Amino acid sequence: MKFRFLEFFDFVLLFCTIVLVIIGITFIYSSGVDSSGVVVSNEYVKQIIFGCTGLVLMFITTLFDYRKVIRHAPKLFIGLIVILLYTLFFGKYVNNARSWIGIGELGIQPSEFGKIFFIIFLAYYLERSDSAKPRKRFITALFFMLIPVGLILLQPDLGTASVYIPIFIIMCFMAGIPIRYLLIVIFIGLLTIIFTVLPVWETEIAQKTIPWMRVLTDLRIRFIVILALSIISFVGILGYILFKNKYYYWIAYFFGITTVSLLASFAASKVLMPYQIERLIIFINPHVDPLGSGWNIIQSKIAIGSGYVFGQGFLNGTQSHYRFLPQQSTDFIFSILAEEWGFVGGIVVFALYLVIFIRIIIIIKYTRNTHGYYIASGILGMLVFHFIVNVGMVMGIMPITGIPLIFLSYGGSSLWTGMICIGLLCSIKFRQSDFTL
């Protein structure tokens, strides 16, 4: 039995995860040291506790047969919706969002753990609906995705809500749902963001009046445009039903996407805080508000640039120790690492994540269980999205969305979620040949 355990356990995945967690604790400690060398934060102690308990959760998840969880997937999804509703009404505010529940300083962020529940449930649905028509599978899966995303957006927590979308897209793609359906989600998402931020871009970045922007700023004009686009979309749908001509199909496709995006952007502008909308575009030119919304990006880029090749040395960074970087232990942990370990340190971290991604792809390739195949795909989509968005954010090439760098950023909910996911991957790898412990 021990031999079989060693044969199927993914030690490479485990090693890379533990090294990243240790690096994260190291720089969380660094973020808590001020310019005089005094430790002013105990976050690193908490992260050590989170890391140790996370290891226990990871090993428990590894040893537990993930296939036994699948049968309870609908209950997990219902539980997710219930706890998100509870959080929405009774949760406590943290960083201007009601997304936490707990007592005093002890708290968890349900939407983080909800990613795991969503992945398990979507894997359950995609496997059971394998013989259904692609359009029906897509619409139903989309409905299941929009429920938690909508509840999280109402908190409002744009960053966490956005992570559910790549999970959905990757899992549906791996399930064989046509790309043209998935592009609907991608296009609507992108256009919704663009339509939401354009009015802010006009006033903050362009700093001039643009006549055609009234479509997005004048409620009456917006209503007329939406009505016109809706009529065109309806005509396209009707024409395709009557004549079966692809010309009508693509009219309905593109005009329908535009219509939904305009409606969604109007709703988003009412739900999201003004500062959240501004953060989505300030990366274009952070110097228009250097002491406000652009401060984080400017200071982060200075920190990364000052690291050069080998860095300034551990605990010798200036941006973090002089407290120029807000939220430096969470969203901007990579900035501290790049400042103190330089380009070489950044490459080491990149390599560790790359190895994790490759190991997940190998697990996906060789697993024989459909549920495991989908679960591993969803976890891959989640981890890659977190990595790309967070690193792009701190480098100033992507919007600031508040997405942490899993395994490195401070936070128990994020770290536990990541380590449970690694446990699930090890469980899938452990049983990819249908071996049962």
Side-chain angles (χ1 to χ4, degrees):
M1 183 66 70
K2 183 184 292 185
F3 174 77
R4 297 299 300 274
F5 178 83
L6 295 176
E7 178 184 350
F8 286 95
F9 193 80
D10 198 326
F11 288 99
V12 175
L13 192 60
L14 173 65
F15 172 78
C16 292
T17 301
I18 292 177
V19 171
L20 284 172
V21 172
I22 293 173
I23 292 174
I25 293 170
T26 301
F27 284 98
I28 290 169
Y29 171 80
S30 178
S31 72
V33 178
D34 65 14
S35 57
S36 59
V38 178
V39 179
V40 295
S41 171
N42 67 343
E43 287 181 340
Y44 75 97
V45 176
K46 296 179 182 178
Q47 193 72 356
I48 291 173
I49 297 173
F50 293 148
C52 293
T53 51
L55 274 174
V56 174
L57 291 173
M58 183 177 70
F59 282 116
I60 290 174
T61 308
T62 299
L63 296 176
F64 189 78
D65 192 339
Y66 73 95
R67 294 168 295 187
K68 295 180 180 178
V69 180
I70 293 296
R71 69 187 69 157
H72 302 292
K75 297 176 184 177
L76 291 176
F77 186 71
I78 293 172
L80 169 62
I81 302 307
V82 171
I83 198 169
L84 286 178
L85 283 169
Y86 177 85
T87 306
L88 182 61
F89 291 104
F90 304 107
K92 58 181 180 179
Y93 277 103
V94 177
N95 296 328
N96 297 308
R98 193 189 292 273
S99 52
W100 290 77
I101 58 174
I103 302 174
E105 294 185 359
L106 299 176
I108 62 170
Q109 190 175 4
S111 54
E112 283 288 342
F113 296 103
K115 300 169 191 173
I116 302 173
F117 293 173
F118 176 68
I119 288 171
I120 292 174
F121 175 74
L122 190 57
Y124 166 85
Y125 170 74
L126 290 173
E127 194 277 335
R128 288 179 64 90
S129 64
D130 185 62
S131 59
K133 293 183 178 180
R135 185 184 302 172
K136 180 181 178 180
R137 290 182 82 198
F138 168 73
I139 293 174
T140 307
L142 179 62
F143 172 75
F144 290 139
M145 186 267 290
L146 289 177
I147 297 175
V149 168
L151 292 174
I152 296 170
L153 283 174
L154 289 174
Q155 292 178 356
D157 187 351
L158 177 62
T160 304
S162 65
V163 180
Y164 285 71
I165 298 175
I167 291 173
F168 167 81
I169 291 173
I170 294 297
M171 292 183 70
C172 288
F173 174 77
M174 299 300 284
I177 291 179
I179 295 179
R180 68 179 183 275
Y181 294 148
L182 302 179
L183 286 176
I184 293 175
V185 178
I186 296 173
F187 287 148
I188 288 178
L190 291 175
L191 286 176
T192 298
I193 293 173
I194 292 171
F195 292 155
T196 302
V197 303
L198 273 177
V200 180
W201 173 84
E202 178 188 29
T203 57
E204 300 295 332
I205 306 295
Q207 297 183 349
K208 62 180 180 180
T209 302
I210 302 175
W212 59 266
M213 200 71 75
R214 293 187 62 192
V215 173
L216 301 174
T217 57
D218 189 308
L219 187 60
R220 181 179 298 179
I221 295 177
R222 182 194 284 257
F223 174 76
I224 293 172
V225 171
I226 290 176
L227 181 62
L229 292 174
S230 300
I231 293 172
I232 295 173
S233 302
F234 177 75
V235 170
I237 294 172
L238 190 61
Y240 181 71
I241 293 174
L242 294 176
F243 304 107
K244 303 298 181 183
N245 192 311
K246 283 290 184 180
Y247 173 76
Y248 293 103
Y249 175 88
W250 292 112
I251 287 178
Y253 187 89
F254 288 109
F255 281 93
I257 288 174
T258 308
T259 305
V260 174
S261 300
L262 281 171
L263 287 168
S265 65
F266 176 74
S269 65
K270 300 300 180 183
V271 172
L272 297 178
M273 301 290 184
Y275 79 92
Q276 289 178 308
I277 298 175
E278 191 168 344
R279 279 165 53 178
L280 292 173
I281 59 166
I282 198 66
F283 76 98
I284 299 173
N285 183 9
H287 293 282
V288 299
D289 188 15
L291 300 179
S293 299
W295 175 266
N296 291 6
I297 294 178
I298 293 172
Q299 299 306 318
S300 177
K301 291 169 71 174
I302 292 174
I304 293 173
S306 64
Y308 295 104
V309 178
F310 297 104
Q312 298 184 23
F314 183 60
L315 299 181
N316 291 326
T318 55
Q319 296 301 109
S320 60
H321 301 309
Y322 282 95
R323 327 308 290 177
F324 288 118
L325 275 172
Q327 299 175 328
Q328 55 190 20
S329 64
T330 53
D331 297 349
F332 291 90
I333 191 71
F334 185 81
S335 303
I336 303 176
L337 184 148
E339 182 181 31
E340 298 186 358
W341 278 7
F343 178 77
V344 173
I347 290 298
V348 169
V349 170
F350 277 37
L352 289 168
Y353 277 105
L354 180 60
V355 172
I356 289 176
F357 299 155
I358 291 173
R359 296 303 298 180
I360 298 175
I361 292 172
I362 292 173
I363 290 172
I364 293 172
K365 180 178 179 181
Y366 289 105
T367 186
R368 299 177 183 177
N369 184 278
T370 306
H371 289 127
Y373 176 83
Y374 290 145
I375 290 172
S377 300
I379 293 173
L380 177 63
M382 181 191 77
L383 294 179
V384 170
F385 185 77
H386 268 270
F387 176 77
I388 292 176
V389 173
N390 182 273
V391 174
M393 176 182 75
V394 301
M395 289 182 176
I397 58 176
M398 296 189 74
I400 297 178
T401 54
I403 293 179
L405 186 55
I406 291 185
F407 306 129
L408 263 70
S409 294
Y410 169 73
S413 297
S414 173
L415 183 57
W416 285 344
T417 298
M419 299 192 81
I420 290 172
C421 285
I422 295 298
L424 276 171
L425 291 167
C426 289
S427 180
I428 295 168
K429 169 72 164 54
F430 192 43
R431 296 166 179 85
Q432 66 185 14
S433 296
D434 208 33
F435 173 67
T436 303
L437 181 63

